[in-house]
């Protein structure tokens, strides 16, 4: 199976060949969550995938606690459905915990992290708090330790949710944490099925190798899980074995792929160990700061070939290579739709090319 075939399969399963008529909730579930470090990024991610998406549809899911943001796959912030939050956090908890050790292990010294987590859970069960508020409480309890490092232990070791208004279109606010169980009003799943989650990943991102599944989830040693699952297999050009669900969509590799604007951190760019199916050789995924919905990447003929950024005076498109007249026209049309979605008025469009 060549790169172009994998590209078209990924685009089709991500609703990036044809926009879906489905709902925001169903799409978030199908994608097994959306990267949401930039809290407003999922709004653009849904707009580019859905035919009739409006921001208030996702805002209602978030304020109604039917969708939630928290640390999940790869130890990064994702937006998922409430039910997926209950399932996914137990499966990736040791990934999240290991991320804490990697980032803060040297700073915590001999602190009793179990005691810190227990104390932090009680704080967040009492009421939602900002990280600074958690840090101040921990500083008073353990004055001899690095309170900032301990505050991160709470969010990494205790399953937490970031509460609204953060992540609500048209609103703003700091990251405020509470326990995931408290926010959802339900306990986390006791014995979630890893095999079921792997099948869902393949349905949205496959065909994929074991290394790809591990790159998406952050989990390791998955070959012994994937191999016995009875999945159909393909052989990549590299010789690597690719796994897939039986009903996984496989479009003709020559299917036209329209220009698509992706938000910051979109999982299309981040969910494979081998990213050649969407990234040209040598190109890295940009990881900009910010709240989201202001910059991202552009797929042209299915591949990452430009960046976009909403500036005060113009929507700027920075192409990485020469665009044909047809490609540029297609981008301009899609850019107009994006500006309409962002309610950016009659803003100009500015192109730059490498």
């Amino acid at each position: 199976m060549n790169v172009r075939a994998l590209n078209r399969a990924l685009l089709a399963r991500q609703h990036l060949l044809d926009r879906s008529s489905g709902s925001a909730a169903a799409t978030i579930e199908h994608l097994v969550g959306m990267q949401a470090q930039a809290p407003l990024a999922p709004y653009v991610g849904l707009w580019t995938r859905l035919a009739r998406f409006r921001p208030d549809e996702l805002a209602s899911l978030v304020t109604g606690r039917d969708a939630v943001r928290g640390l999940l796959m790869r130890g990064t912030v994702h937006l998922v459905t409430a039910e997926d939050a209950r399932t996914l956090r137990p499966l990736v908890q040791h990934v999240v915990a290991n991320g804490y050790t990697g980032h803060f292990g040297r700073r915590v010294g001999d602190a009793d992290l179990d005691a810190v987590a227990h104390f932090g859970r009680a704080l967040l069960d009492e009421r939602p708090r900002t990280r600074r508020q958690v840090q101040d409480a921990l500083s008073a309890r353990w004055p001899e330790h690095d309170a900032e490092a301990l505050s991160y232990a709470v969010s990494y070791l205790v399953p937490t949710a970031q509460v609204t208004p953060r992540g609500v279109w048209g609103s703003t606010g700091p990251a405020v944490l509470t326990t995931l169980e408290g926010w959802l009003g339900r306990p986390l799943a006791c014995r979630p099925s890893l095999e079921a989650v792997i099948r869902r990943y393949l349905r949205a991102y496959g065909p994929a190798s074991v290394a790809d599944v591990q790159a998406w989830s952050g989990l390791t040693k998955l070959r012994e899980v994937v191999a016995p699952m009875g999945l159909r297999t393909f052989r990549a050009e590299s010789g690597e074995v690719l796994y897939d669900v039986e009903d996984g969509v496989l479009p003709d590799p020559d299917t036209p792929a329209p220009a698509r604007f992706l938000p910051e951190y979109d999982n299309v760019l981040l969910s494979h160990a081998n990213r050649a199916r969407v990234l040209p050789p040598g190109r890295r995924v940009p990881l900009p700061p910010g709240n989201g919905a202001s910059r991202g990447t552009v797929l042209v003929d299915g591949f990452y070939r430009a960046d976009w950024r909403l500036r005060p005076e113009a929507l700027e498109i920075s192409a990485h290579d020469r665009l044909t007249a047809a490609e540029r026209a297609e981008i301009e049309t899609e850019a107009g739709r994006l500006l309409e979605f962002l309610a950016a008025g009659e803003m100009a469009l500015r192109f730059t090319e490498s």
Side-chain angles (χ1 to χ4, degrees):
M1 180 171 276
N2 63 28
V3 167
R4 192 172 181 86
L6 291 172
N7 174 271
R8 292 313 195 251
L10 176 62
L11 296 181
R13 298 178 193 203
Q14 290 283 316
H15 306 317
L16 293 171
L17 284 182
D18 297 296
R19 283 184 164 96
S20 168
S21 61
S23 68
T27 302
I28 295 167
E29 181 180 22
H30 168 72
L31 299 175
V32 204
M34 305 180 74
Q35 189 88 18
Q37 246 114 320
L40 299 183
Y43 289 86
V44 175
L46 289 170
W47 163 81
T48 205
R49 290 172 167 90
L50 298 180
R52 292 185 293 274
F53 175 70
R54 295 293 180 268
D56 59 356
E57 184 182 0
L58 176 54
S60 295
L61 292 174
V62 175
T63 56
R65 307 190 188 187
D66 296 308
V68 62
R69 293 174 60 251
L71 292 178
L72 289 166
M73 286 73 73
R74 306 185 296 279
T76 58
V77 179
H78 276 70
L79 170 78
V80 296
T81 65
E83 189 58 33
D84 274 351
R86 297 181 60 245
T87 298
L88 293 169
R89 183 61 191 248
L91 286 174
V92 300
Q93 177 55 41
H94 73 275
V95 174
V96 178
N98 287 343
Y100 175 77
T101 302
H103 285 101
F104 297 98
R106 294 182 179 181
R107 294 173 55 182
V108 297
D110 61 354
D112 183 343
L113 293 182
D114 288 338
V116 169
H118 181 78
F119 183 81
R121 182 186 289 273
L123 285 175
L124 299 183
D125 273 335
E126 182 180 65
R127 62 179 173 84
R129 299 173 192 257
T130 64
R131 189 173 302 284
R132 182 66 199 209
Q133 290 169 333
V134 173
Q135 181 177 326
D136 289 345
L138 291 167
S139 179
R141 175 66 178 81
W142 286 279
E144 71 280 10
H145 287 95
D146 184 332
E148 182 187 42
L150 295 186
S151 73
Y152 279 93
V154 174
S155 56
Y156 278 78
L157 303 182
V158 178
T160 56
Q162 291 193 16
V163 308
T164 55
R166 192 168 176 84
V168 176
W169 191 261
S171 301
T172 187
V176 180
L177 302 174
T178 190
T179 60
L180 185 56
E181 297 99 322
W183 186 247
L184 298 179
R186 287 173 286 169
L188 302 188
C190 293
R191 289 184 293 275
S193 169
L194 177 56
E195 290 85 353
V197 171
I198 290 171
R199 289 181 185 278
R200 291 179 58 196
Y201 165 79
L202 293 173
R203 190 163 283 113
Y205 297 91
S209 67
V210 170
D212 291 328
V213 183
Q214 293 181 160
W216 168 76
S217 64
L219 297 167
T220 59
K221 300 180 180 178
L222 292 186
R223 189 168 303 280
E224 60 197 50
V225 179
V226 173
M229 286 176 58
L231 298 162
R232 65 172 171 172
T233 59
F234 302 93
R235 186 73 64 174
E237 288 180 309
S238 63
E240 195 170 26
V241 175
L242 303 175
Y243 295 89
D244 200 10
V245 289
E246 287 296 330
D247 57 348
V249 178
L250 295 174
D252 187 317
D254 292 326
T255 302
R260 289 289 186 254
F261 284 70
L262 300 179
E264 303 93 324
Y265 307 101
D266 197 283
N267 269 339
V268 162
L269 305 176
L270 296 168
S271 296
H272 299 86
N274 184 348
R275 298 173 178 175
R277 70 187 66 201
V278 71
L279 295 185
R283 190 154 300 153
R284 294 186 177 184
V285 180
L287 302 174
N291 286 333
S294 62
R295 60 176 73 181
T297 56
V298 186
L299 301 183
V300 181
D301 189 29
F303 293 88
Y304 168 34
R305 291 178 55 197
D307 296 296
W308 67 271
R309 184 170 184 179
L310 190 67
R311 296 189 180 274
E313 70 283 359
L315 175 61
E316 185 176 272
I317 310 294
S318 302
H320 301 302
D321 52 30
R322 289 289 179 184
L323 300 170
T324 67
E327 289 170 341
R328 183 165 175 154
E330 194 175 329
I331 291 173
E332 288 177 351
T333 299
E334 192 69 4
R337 296 191 185 107
L338 176 62
L339 287 172
E340 182 180 353
F341 173 75
L342 297 175
E346 298 299 320
M347 183 172 286
L349 181 63
R350 185 167 65 210
F351 269 95
T352 63
E353 295 183 1
S354 301

